Every structure is written in structure tokens, then in C-alpha cells.
Amino acid sequence: MFRRAFWFTAGAAAGVWATTKVNRQLKKLTPESLAAQAADKAVEAGHRLKDFALDVRAGMTQREDELNDALGLTQDPDRPDNVTALSGPRRLRAIEHDAQDEHDKTTPRTKFSYNRNEDH
């Protein structure tokens, strides 16, 4: 008698456990639950993408600082937009070079002629 009661109780407990497990899985497969899971995954992917973008930006800033140091470029605190500028003599040479280019633009270039009809 006790043996039958034991196996009846064990079977009932296993049935309750299996039913609960199946119901949980069915609830996970409802459209609302699937939509919530997809939304959570999208938010998680967005956070990972944001972290990646911040890492890329930090790397870009670090590399830009390295290149500015290698080229001798410095931050000009007098400029309102805080643009990197060439230091001292290199800046003067660059300004003189720009002035020569402007002068060259005013003189007509007769060495090379360009005829649009030649392209066809």
C-alpha cells in the first residue's frame, strides 16, 4: 500500500513539474514574449554599438594627438574654433605658400589649354 502511494505521489509530482515546465516554454513562444525578447536584443545591440562608437572615437582622438605631435601641430587657444595650427615658422611658410598660390591664380595659364570638345 505504501509502495503504491509513493509511486502515485512521485508520478503526480513529476506531472506537475512537467506541466509547469511546458507552460513556461509556451509562454516564451507567444508573440508578445517574442516581441519583448527582440526588443531587449535590439536595445542590447544598440548599447554595444554605442560602446564601439565611443571606443572608435577615443582611438581616433588618440591617433590624432599622436599625428599632431609627430607633425608639430599645436592647439591654438586664440582661435575660437580651437583648430590645430602649425607652429611658428612652419605656419609662416604655409601662409607665404598660400599667398603665392593666390598670386598664381590671377595670372592666366597659357601653357595648357582645355577644350571641352576634345573630350567627345
Side-chain angles (χ1 to χ4, degrees):
M1 167 109 170
F2 288 109
R3 183 183 281 176
R4 286 183 186 172
F6 170 75
W7 287 114
F8 176 77
T9 307
V16 169
W17 176 79
T19 304
T20 305
K21 199 87 154 142
V22 167
N23 283 335
R24 283 184 191 162
Q25 290 299 323
L26 287 176
K27 285 181 184 178
K28 285 183 183 178
L29 296 176
T30 61
E32 296 84 12
S33 178
L34 291 175
Q37 288 176 8
D40 290 342
K41 295 283 185 181
V43 168
E44 182 181 331
H47 288 304
R48 283 190 304 222
L49 187 61
K50 181 181 175 185
D51 291 341
F52 174 72
L54 291 174
D55 289 344
V56 168
R57 180 169 287 190
M60 285 174 27
T61 304
Q62 179 183 0
R63 182 61 179 152
E64 184 177 358
D65 291 341
E66 291 172 1
L67 291 172
N68 286 340
D69 289 342
L71 295 173
L73 297 174
T74 58
Q75 292 287 339
D76 190 358
D78 296 333
R79 295 185 63 142
D81 52 1
N82 206 14
V83 174
T84 55
L86 292 171
S87 59
R90 292 181 69 191
R91 183 175 185 167
L92 292 176
R93 276 186 272 150
I95 291 171
E96 290 171 1
H97 182 70
D98 284 345
Q100 288 175 356
D101 286 346
E102 288 297 323
H103 178 67
D104 289 344
K105 288 180 183 175
T106 59
T107 59
R109 295 184 184 242
T110 57
K111 186 174 182 182
F112 298 106
S113 66
Y114 180 70
N115 186 353
R116 289 179 49 175
N117 292 330
E118 293 176 356
D119 289 342
H120 302 287

